Amino acid sequence: MRVLVVEDEPHIAEAVTFLLEREGHEVTVSATAPEPGDAMRGYDLLVLDIMLPGRSGFDIARDAMALAERPKICVLTAKGQKGDRDRMMSMGVDAFVSKPFSNSELMETVRGLAAR
């Protein structure tokens, strides 16, 4: 899969990239919110933090869902309160993983999304 990781914490972005690449995925990392449209086209999966500089993960998820061929969306965030989770899931995101996360939990989630 082609995966876009939108994560502003370098250590987390590096760890997620390592895990995904180890399983053969092609990974691009962005520390800032991509602009709507072309920046998200062509990806199979978007791993998305909610709290980002500039634009929020809520806005990015909404933009991604508007694409004709939208990527699957896995929210990976420390903002894991029930209200945030409910808001993202009601928007139609495909998965939600709270930080701190275990490597196995993240990869099981990614595998499940890849199988859909």
Side-chain angles (χ1 to χ4, degrees):
M1 284 193 307
R2 289 193 66 223
V3 182
L4 175 59
V5 176
V6 183
E7 172 61 63
D8 62 329
E9 295 181 39
H11 292 83
I12 294 174
E14 183 179 338
V16 171
T17 298
F18 173 79
L19 293 168
L20 292 167
E21 287 179 342
R22 186 175 66 182
E23 292 208 7
H25 303 295
E26 179 184 333
V27 180
T28 301
V29 176
S30 178
T32 60
E35 291 301 316
D38 291 338
M40 290 186 281
R41 288 191 206 289
Y43 289 99
D44 303 300
L45 175 64
L46 175 61
V47 177
L48 174 64
D49 190 5
I50 290 178
M51 297 182 298
L52 295 163
R55 299 175 66 226
S56 79
F58 294 109
D59 294 331
I60 299 163
R62 188 175 27 262
D63 294 342
M65 286 187 247
L67 295 172
E69 292 184 28
R70 82 164 184 92
K72 293 176 179 74
I73 301 170
C74 175
V75 174
L76 177 65
T77 186
K79 203 169 161 62
Q81 294 87 0
K82 184 174 179 351
D84 295 318
R85 180 184 295 260
D86 290 348
R87 179 176 175 192
M88 290 300 261
M89 296 306 278
S90 71
M91 289 175 64
V93 301
D94 301 288
F96 195 101
V97 177
S98 295
K99 295 176 188 173
F101 60 91
S102 72
N103 295 349
S104 60
E105 175 189 14
L106 176 61
M107 294 316 299
E108 285 175 27
T109 301
V110 169
R111 286 184 206 110
L113 293 172
R116 288 192 207 169

